Short mmCIF file of all heavy atoms in Angstrom, two decimals:
data_model
loop_
_atom_site.label_atom_id
_atom_site.label_comp_id
_atom_site.label_asym_id
_atom_site.label_seq_id
_atom_site.Cartn_x
_atom_site.Cartn_y
_atom_site.Cartn_z
N TYR A 210 304.44 122.44 85.19
CA TYR A 210 305.72 121.87 84.78
C TYR A 210 306.44 122.93 83.95
O TYR A 210 306.00 123.28 82.87
CB TYR A 210 305.50 120.60 83.97
CG TYR A 210 305.02 119.43 84.81
CD1 TYR A 210 303.69 119.33 85.21
CD2 TYR A 210 305.91 118.43 85.23
CE1 TYR A 210 303.25 118.27 86.00
CE2 TYR A 210 305.47 117.37 86.01
CZ TYR A 210 304.14 117.30 86.39
OH TYR A 210 303.71 116.25 87.17
N SER A 211 307.54 123.43 84.49
CA SER A 211 308.21 124.57 83.87
C SER A 211 309.53 124.16 83.21
O SER A 211 310.17 123.18 83.59
CB SER A 211 308.48 125.67 84.91
OG SER A 211 309.29 125.16 85.96
N SER A 212 309.92 124.96 82.21
CA SER A 212 311.15 124.69 81.48
C SER A 212 312.39 124.88 82.36
O SER A 212 313.43 124.29 82.10
CB SER A 212 311.24 125.61 80.25
OG SER A 212 311.16 126.97 80.66
N GLU A 213 312.26 125.70 83.38
CA GLU A 213 313.36 125.93 84.32
C GLU A 213 312.79 126.31 85.68
O GLU A 213 311.60 126.57 85.83
CB GLU A 213 314.27 127.03 83.79
CG GLU A 213 313.58 128.36 83.59
CD GLU A 213 314.45 129.39 82.90
OE1 GLU A 213 314.59 129.32 81.67
OE2 GLU A 213 315.02 130.26 83.60
N ASN A 214 313.66 126.33 86.67
CA ASN A 214 313.21 126.67 88.02
C ASN A 214 312.84 128.15 88.11
O ASN A 214 313.61 129.02 87.73
CB ASN A 214 314.34 126.35 89.02
CG ASN A 214 313.87 126.56 90.46
OD1 ASN A 214 312.76 126.19 90.81
ND2 ASN A 214 314.72 127.15 91.28
N ILE A 215 311.64 128.41 88.57
CA ILE A 215 311.14 129.79 88.73
C ILE A 215 310.83 130.02 90.21
O ILE A 215 310.07 129.26 90.82
CB ILE A 215 309.86 130.02 87.89
CG1 ILE A 215 310.10 129.67 86.42
CG2 ILE A 215 309.39 131.45 88.03
CD1 ILE A 215 311.07 130.56 85.72
N LYS A 216 311.41 131.06 90.78
CA LYS A 216 311.23 131.31 92.21
C LYS A 216 309.84 131.87 92.55
O LYS A 216 309.36 131.72 93.67
CB LYS A 216 312.30 132.27 92.71
CG LYS A 216 313.72 131.68 92.64
CD LYS A 216 314.75 132.66 93.17
CE LYS A 216 316.16 132.06 93.10
NZ LYS A 216 317.19 133.02 93.59
N VAL A 217 309.22 132.51 91.57
CA VAL A 217 307.94 133.19 91.84
C VAL A 217 306.83 132.20 92.20
O VAL A 217 306.06 132.43 93.13
CB VAL A 217 307.51 134.03 90.61
CG1 VAL A 217 306.21 134.79 90.92
CG2 VAL A 217 308.61 135.00 90.22
N PHE A 218 306.74 131.07 91.46
CA PHE A 218 305.69 130.09 91.69
C PHE A 218 306.29 128.69 91.85
O PHE A 218 307.37 128.40 91.32
CB PHE A 218 304.70 130.05 90.51
CG PHE A 218 303.98 131.33 90.26
CD1 PHE A 218 304.05 131.96 89.02
CD2 PHE A 218 303.22 131.93 91.25
CE1 PHE A 218 303.39 133.15 88.78
CE2 PHE A 218 302.54 133.11 91.02
CZ PHE A 218 302.63 133.73 89.79
N ASP A 219 305.56 127.86 92.58
CA ASP A 219 305.98 126.46 92.70
C ASP A 219 305.76 125.75 91.38
O ASP A 219 304.74 125.93 90.72
CB ASP A 219 305.16 125.76 93.79
CG ASP A 219 305.52 126.25 95.19
OD1 ASP A 219 306.66 126.70 95.37
OD2 ASP A 219 304.65 126.18 96.07
N SER A 220 306.73 124.94 90.99
CA SER A 220 306.59 124.17 89.76
C SER A 220 307.54 122.99 89.78
O SER A 220 308.46 122.93 90.60
CB SER A 220 306.87 125.04 88.53
OG SER A 220 308.23 125.44 88.51
N VAL A 221 307.29 122.06 88.87
CA VAL A 221 308.20 120.94 88.66
C VAL A 221 309.14 121.35 87.54
O VAL A 221 308.71 121.53 86.40
CB VAL A 221 307.44 119.65 88.28
CG1 VAL A 221 308.42 118.51 88.05
CG2 VAL A 221 306.42 119.29 89.35
N SER A 222 310.42 121.54 87.85
CA SER A 222 311.37 122.00 86.86
C SER A 222 311.81 120.85 85.96
O SER A 222 312.23 119.80 86.44
CB SER A 222 312.59 122.62 87.55
OG SER A 222 313.52 123.08 86.59
N LEU A 223 311.73 121.06 84.64
CA LEU A 223 312.07 120.02 83.68
C LEU A 223 313.43 120.25 83.02
O LEU A 223 313.94 119.38 82.32
CB LEU A 223 310.98 119.95 82.60
CG LEU A 223 309.58 119.61 83.11
CD1 LEU A 223 308.56 119.73 81.98
CD2 LEU A 223 309.53 118.22 83.72
N ASN A 224 314.00 121.43 83.23
CA ASN A 224 315.35 121.76 82.73
C ASN A 224 315.51 121.56 81.23
O ASN A 224 316.51 121.01 80.76
CB ASN A 224 316.40 120.93 83.49
CG ASN A 224 316.38 121.21 84.98
OD1 ASN A 224 316.33 122.37 85.39
ND2 ASN A 224 316.38 120.16 85.78
N THR A 225 314.54 121.99 80.48
CA THR A 225 314.63 121.98 79.03
C THR A 225 313.67 123.02 78.48
O THR A 225 312.62 123.29 79.08
CB THR A 225 314.29 120.60 78.44
OG1 THR A 225 314.34 120.68 77.00
CG2 THR A 225 312.88 120.15 78.84
N ASN A 226 314.02 123.60 77.33
CA ASN A 226 313.16 124.59 76.70
C ASN A 226 312.40 124.00 75.53
O ASN A 226 311.55 124.65 74.93
CB ASN A 226 314.02 125.77 76.20
CG ASN A 226 313.22 127.05 76.11
OD1 ASN A 226 312.48 127.40 77.02
ND2 ASN A 226 313.37 127.75 75.00
N ASP A 227 312.67 122.75 75.21
CA ASP A 227 312.04 122.05 74.09
C ASP A 227 310.66 121.54 74.51
O ASP A 227 310.55 120.76 75.46
CB ASP A 227 312.93 120.89 73.65
CG ASP A 227 312.40 120.19 72.42
OD1 ASP A 227 311.37 119.48 72.54
OD2 ASP A 227 313.00 120.32 71.34
N MET A 228 309.61 121.96 73.82
CA MET A 228 308.24 121.62 74.24
C MET A 228 307.95 120.12 74.19
O MET A 228 307.24 119.58 75.03
CB MET A 228 307.22 122.37 73.38
CG MET A 228 307.11 123.85 73.72
SD MET A 228 306.58 124.15 75.43
CE MET A 228 304.88 123.58 75.37
N TRP A 229 308.50 119.43 73.20
CA TRP A 229 308.29 117.99 73.11
C TRP A 229 308.97 117.26 74.26
O TRP A 229 308.40 116.37 74.89
CB TRP A 229 308.77 117.46 71.77
CG TRP A 229 308.83 115.96 71.64
CD1 TRP A 229 309.88 115.23 71.17
CD2 TRP A 229 307.80 115.00 71.94
NE1 TRP A 229 309.57 113.88 71.16
CE2 TRP A 229 308.30 113.72 71.63
CE3 TRP A 229 306.51 115.11 72.46
CZ2 TRP A 229 307.56 112.55 71.81
CZ3 TRP A 229 305.77 113.95 72.64
CH2 TRP A 229 306.29 112.70 72.33
N VAL A 230 310.19 117.67 74.58
CA VAL A 230 310.90 117.07 75.71
C VAL A 230 310.18 117.40 77.02
O VAL A 230 310.06 116.55 77.91
CB VAL A 230 312.38 117.53 75.76
CG1 VAL A 230 313.11 116.89 76.94
CG2 VAL A 230 313.09 117.19 74.46
N MET A 231 309.66 118.61 77.13
CA MET A 231 308.89 119.00 78.32
C MET A 231 307.67 118.10 78.48
O MET A 231 307.38 117.60 79.57
CB MET A 231 308.45 120.47 78.22
CG MET A 231 309.54 121.48 78.48
SD MET A 231 308.93 123.19 78.34
CE MET A 231 307.79 123.27 79.75
N MET A 232 306.95 117.90 77.37
CA MET A 232 305.74 117.07 77.42
C MET A 232 306.08 115.64 77.81
O MET A 232 305.41 115.04 78.67
CB MET A 232 305.03 117.11 76.07
CG MET A 232 303.71 116.35 76.04
SD MET A 232 302.89 116.41 74.41
CE MET A 232 302.17 118.05 74.45
N ARG A 233 307.11 115.08 77.20
CA ARG A 233 307.54 113.71 77.51
C ARG A 233 307.87 113.56 79.00
O ARG A 233 307.42 112.63 79.67
CB ARG A 233 308.79 113.35 76.69
CG ARG A 233 308.56 113.09 75.23
CD ARG A 233 309.89 113.05 74.48
NE ARG A 233 310.77 112.00 74.98
CZ ARG A 233 310.96 110.84 74.37
NH1 ARG A 233 310.32 110.58 73.24
NH2 ARG A 233 311.78 109.95 74.86
N LYS A 234 308.69 114.49 79.48
CA LYS A 234 309.12 114.43 80.88
C LYS A 234 307.94 114.59 81.84
O LYS A 234 307.84 113.90 82.85
CB LYS A 234 310.17 115.50 81.16
CG LYS A 234 311.54 115.19 80.60
CD LYS A 234 312.56 116.22 81.08
CE LYS A 234 313.98 115.83 80.68
NZ LYS A 234 314.98 116.79 81.22
N ALA A 235 307.05 115.54 81.51
CA ALA A 235 305.89 115.79 82.37
C ALA A 235 305.00 114.56 82.47
O ALA A 235 304.57 114.17 83.57
CB ALA A 235 305.08 116.98 81.84
N TYR A 236 304.73 113.92 81.34
CA TYR A 236 303.91 112.71 81.34
C TYR A 236 304.59 111.57 82.10
O TYR A 236 303.95 110.81 82.82
CB TYR A 236 303.61 112.26 79.91
CG TYR A 236 302.41 112.93 79.28
CD1 TYR A 236 302.45 113.37 77.95
CD2 TYR A 236 301.22 113.13 80.00
CE1 TYR A 236 301.34 113.97 77.36
CE2 TYR A 236 300.12 113.73 79.41
CZ TYR A 236 300.18 114.15 78.10
OH TYR A 236 299.08 114.74 77.52
N LYS A 237 305.90 111.45 81.93
CA LYS A 237 306.64 110.36 82.58
C LYS A 237 306.62 110.54 84.10
O LYS A 237 306.35 109.60 84.85
CB LYS A 237 308.08 110.34 82.08
CG LYS A 237 308.87 109.12 82.55
CD LYS A 237 310.22 109.05 81.87
CE LYS A 237 310.96 107.79 82.34
NZ LYS A 237 312.31 107.70 81.70
N ILE A 238 306.86 111.77 84.57
CA ILE A 238 306.83 112.06 86.00
C ILE A 238 305.43 111.84 86.55
O ILE A 238 305.24 111.25 87.62
CB ILE A 238 307.29 113.51 86.27
CG1 ILE A 238 308.77 113.68 85.93
CG2 ILE A 238 307.02 113.91 87.72
CD1 ILE A 238 309.24 115.11 85.90
N THR A 239 304.43 112.30 85.79
CA THR A 239 303.03 112.15 86.21
C THR A 239 302.67 110.68 86.40
O THR A 239 302.05 110.31 87.40
CB THR A 239 302.09 112.78 85.16
OG1 THR A 239 302.33 114.19 85.13
CG2 THR A 239 300.63 112.53 85.50
N TYR A 240 303.05 109.86 85.44
CA TYR A 240 302.72 108.42 85.54
C TYR A 240 303.40 107.79 86.74
O TYR A 240 302.77 107.03 87.50
CB TYR A 240 303.13 107.70 84.26
CG TYR A 240 302.76 106.23 84.29
CD1 TYR A 240 301.43 105.82 84.16
CD2 TYR A 240 303.74 105.25 84.47
CE1 TYR A 240 301.08 104.48 84.20
CE2 TYR A 240 303.40 103.90 84.51
CZ TYR A 240 302.08 103.53 84.38
OH TYR A 240 301.73 102.19 84.44
N GLU A 241 304.66 108.10 86.93
CA GLU A 241 305.41 107.50 88.05
C GLU A 241 304.81 107.90 89.41
O GLU A 241 304.76 107.09 90.33
CB GLU A 241 306.87 107.92 87.97
CG GLU A 241 307.63 107.28 86.81
CD GLU A 241 309.01 107.89 86.59
OE1 GLU A 241 309.33 108.90 87.29
OE2 GLU A 241 309.75 107.36 85.75
N ARG A 242 304.36 109.13 89.50
CA ARG A 242 303.87 109.64 90.79
C ARG A 242 302.39 109.36 91.06
O ARG A 242 301.99 109.16 92.20
CB ARG A 242 304.12 111.15 90.88
CG ARG A 242 305.58 111.53 90.95
CD ARG A 242 305.72 113.05 91.08
NE ARG A 242 307.12 113.45 91.16
CZ ARG A 242 307.53 114.73 91.22
NH1 ARG A 242 306.62 115.71 91.18
NH2 ARG A 242 308.81 115.02 91.29
N TYR A 243 301.58 109.38 89.99
CA TYR A 243 300.12 109.40 90.21
C TYR A 243 299.35 108.29 89.51
O TYR A 243 298.13 108.36 89.42
CB TYR A 243 299.56 110.76 89.78
CG TYR A 243 300.21 111.92 90.49
CD1 TYR A 243 301.02 112.82 89.80
CD2 TYR A 243 300.05 112.10 91.87
CE1 TYR A 243 301.63 113.88 90.46
CE2 TYR A 243 300.66 113.15 92.53
CZ TYR A 243 301.45 114.04 91.83
OH TYR A 243 302.06 115.08 92.48
N LYS A 244 300.03 107.26 89.03
CA LYS A 244 299.33 106.19 88.30
C LYS A 244 298.30 105.46 89.15
O LYS A 244 297.34 104.89 88.62
CB LYS A 244 300.34 105.19 87.74
CG LYS A 244 301.19 104.51 88.80
CD LYS A 244 302.24 103.61 88.16
CE LYS A 244 303.15 103.00 89.20
NZ LYS A 244 304.22 102.19 88.58
N ASP A 245 298.47 105.48 90.46
CA ASP A 245 297.53 104.79 91.35
C ASP A 245 296.52 105.74 91.99
O ASP A 245 295.67 105.32 92.78
CB ASP A 245 298.28 104.03 92.45
CG ASP A 245 299.19 102.95 91.89
OD1 ASP A 245 298.77 102.28 90.92
OD2 ASP A 245 300.31 102.78 92.40
N GLU A 246 296.62 107.03 91.67
CA GLU A 246 295.78 108.03 92.34
C GLU A 246 294.73 108.65 91.42
O GLU A 246 293.64 109.01 91.87
CB GLU A 246 296.67 109.12 92.92
CG GLU A 246 295.96 110.06 93.88
CD GLU A 246 296.90 111.04 94.55
OE1 GLU A 246 298.13 110.81 94.53
OE2 GLU A 246 296.41 112.06 95.07
N PHE A 247 295.05 108.78 90.13
CA PHE A 247 294.13 109.41 89.18
C PHE A 247 293.92 108.50 87.97
O PHE A 247 294.78 107.69 87.63
CB PHE A 247 294.68 110.76 88.71
CG PHE A 247 294.82 111.76 89.81
CD1 PHE A 247 296.03 111.91 90.47
CD2 PHE A 247 293.76 112.56 90.20
CE1 PHE A 247 296.18 112.82 91.51
CE2 PHE A 247 293.88 113.47 91.23
CZ PHE A 247 295.10 113.61 91.88
N SER A 248 292.75 108.66 87.35
CA SER A 248 292.43 107.87 86.15
C SER A 248 292.42 108.71 84.88
O SER A 248 292.49 108.17 83.78
CB SER A 248 291.06 107.20 86.32
OG SER A 248 291.07 106.31 87.42
N TRP A 249 292.33 110.04 85.04
CA TRP A 249 292.27 110.92 83.88
C TRP A 249 293.30 112.04 84.03
O TRP A 249 293.46 112.60 85.13
CB TRP A 249 290.88 111.53 83.73
CG TRP A 249 289.83 110.49 83.44
CD1 TRP A 249 288.94 109.96 84.32
CD2 TRP A 249 289.58 109.86 82.17
NE1 TRP A 249 288.15 109.03 83.69
CE2 TRP A 249 288.52 108.95 82.37
CE3 TRP A 249 290.14 109.98 80.89
CZ2 TRP A 249 288.01 108.17 81.33
CZ3 TRP A 249 289.65 109.20 79.87
CH2 TRP A 249 288.59 108.31 80.08
#
């Protein structure tokens, strides 16, 4: 999960440089996408 879009590697772009906002967004996306697939 990257702060911005990077062409070198695949990533989920969060469009923010703030680490707390990055963490919040990453967890929110993770839950929405994988809540039924992973337990940890």
